[in-house]
Amino acid sequence: MHPIHTTALTQTQKNDVQTLLRVCKEYEPLALSAPEENGLDFFLFYDKEQSSSLLSFAFLFFPEKTTCECTIFVHPSYRKQGICTCMLNKILEYVEELEKREQRQMDFCFLTDPKTPSALAVMEALEAEYWYSEYKMVRKLKKSDKAFLSSLSIQEAEPGIYTGSLNGQVIGSCAVLPSGEELYLYAFQIKDSFRGQGYGRDFLLGILALLPSDYKQVSIQVSGQNYIARNLYKKTGFQTVESLSYYLY
């Protein structure tokens, strides 16, 4: 059976994904989660004889137009049977078609948990090149966050994209993506000429003040070499919960 590609999971598929993820986590150390929100690219591989049994799941995330991040989960009882290869071939075929259609090249990389032995073994077998590591940091959302008054004018310029302006000039931006019960912040940036003046803190806390109150926490990923950003997130209440490794393929 060929992998299914979709950008919107049904409730049944979401349940199947969470069941597969739970089995994988019971088998070996694994901190990675599986997003379910519409708009991402999902690939699912079901047992051809038992259509209700999900054997593999993958998702693609495009943090930038030139980068494609991929994570693949395979049921422990069905590994080394060619399922991962089948999924990867389908994904690479899709990405290649996307590159041709949009006339741009992308760096294709795997997002892995460095504490997961099977993931490291697959990276070695694929001869994927270690790229860099990131830390996932999380922060609980509090009622008191709503009271923060930023020195910047912050607004949701378009769905999921926040901007911070000073005297009418946009000096910062950040994207927000729902992921289960938390919100994932990415592409957080302040223009070079405005860094080191406290605007990063004001922008970040200002965004938290505007986020929907029905979410419990926010998460953000930061490069292990970006000490300035990590320090900013620590000062605004974020705590490191896991490390993630990226491999170029």
Side-chain angles (χ1 to χ4, degrees):
M1 183 176 180
H2 296 293
I4 300 170
H5 174 218
T6 181
T7 57
L9 298 174
T10 66
Q11 187 56 54
T12 297
Q13 290 172 334
K14 291 180 180 179
N15 294 339
D16 292 342
V17 168
Q18 291 308 314
T19 297
L20 174 61
L21 190 61
R22 183 173 62 254
V23 172
C24 290
K25 289 186 175 182
E26 291 173 351
Y27 180 76
E28 62 185 341
L30 176 64
L32 288 174
S33 58
E36 302 175 343
E37 288 65 35
N38 294 346
L40 297 181
D41 287 283
F42 305 105
F43 296 81
L44 304 96
F45 190 102
Y46 282 91
D47 189 316
K48 61 182 179 181
E49 297 179 355
Q50 301 179 30
S51 59
S52 62
S53 180
L54 181 64
L55 306 186
S56 182
F57 170 75
F59 66 89
L60 301 184
F61 178 58
F62 300 85
E64 300 174 357
K65 290 184 177 181
T66 58
T67 304
C68 174
E69 298 178 3
C70 172
T71 298
I72 302 176
F73 303 94
V74 179
H75 194 292
S77 299
Y78 294 88
R79 294 175 181 175
K80 297 183 180 181
Q81 297 184 26
I83 294 177
C84 184
T85 299
C86 180
M87 291 283 282
L88 181 56
N89 287 340
K90 179 72 172 180
I91 290 169
L92 293 176
E93 179 182 299
Y94 169 73
V95 173
E96 184 177 351
E97 292 176 353
L98 183 63
E99 288 178 321
K100 291 180 179 178
R101 185 169 64 249
E102 299 189 2
Q103 297 184 337
R104 57 186 170 92
Q105 290 187 319
M106 285 181 280
D107 288 322
F108 185 86
C109 66
F110 292 101
L111 172 59
T112 66
D113 184 336
K115 295 181 180 179
T116 304
S118 64
L120 299 180
V122 171
M123 293 301 100
E124 183 177 357
L126 292 174
E127 297 184 350
E129 178 186 356
Y130 172 77
W131 193 8
Y132 69 99
S133 294
E134 282 192 344
Y135 293 98
K136 178 179 179 180
M137 304 181 73
V138 301
R139 181 189 187 279
K140 298 293 183 182
L141 288 173
K142 302 172 290 186
K143 291 183 178 180
S144 58
D145 290 329
K146 299 293 183 182
F148 181 77
L149 297 177
S150 176
S151 62
L152 303 176
S153 174
I154 302 174
Q155 62 178 344
E156 190 173 9
E158 55 184 276
I161 305 295
Y162 289 81
T163 59
S165 301
L166 182 65
N167 299 325
Q169 177 184 0
V170 175
I171 69 167
S173 61
C174 179
V176 179
L177 177 70
S179 181
E181 295 184 341
E182 71 176 20
L183 290 167
Y184 172 50
L185 309 185
Y186 66 98
F188 181 91
Q189 60 180 342
I190 296 291
K191 289 185 176 180
D192 291 346
S193 57
F194 293 92
R195 294 178 181 175
Q197 303 175 51
Y199 294 124
R201 173 184 177 277
D202 272 16
F203 184 39
L204 181 54
L205 292 178
I207 292 174
L208 299 184
L210 298 178
L211 294 179
S213 55
D214 50 340
Y215 287 91
K216 296 182 179 181
Q217 68 179 25
V218 291
S219 66
I220 195 166
Q221 289 176 202
V222 57
S223 169
Q225 297 178 329
N226 194 340
Y227 302 108
I228 295 178
R230 287 173 61 190
N231 190 46
L232 166 64
Y233 303 145
K234 286 181 180 179
K235 287 184 176 180
T236 49
F238 284 80
Q239 295 182 329
T240 301
V241 294
E242 63 188 50
S243 61
L244 307 169
S245 295
Y246 290 79
Y247 288 81
L248 284 172
Y249 182 67

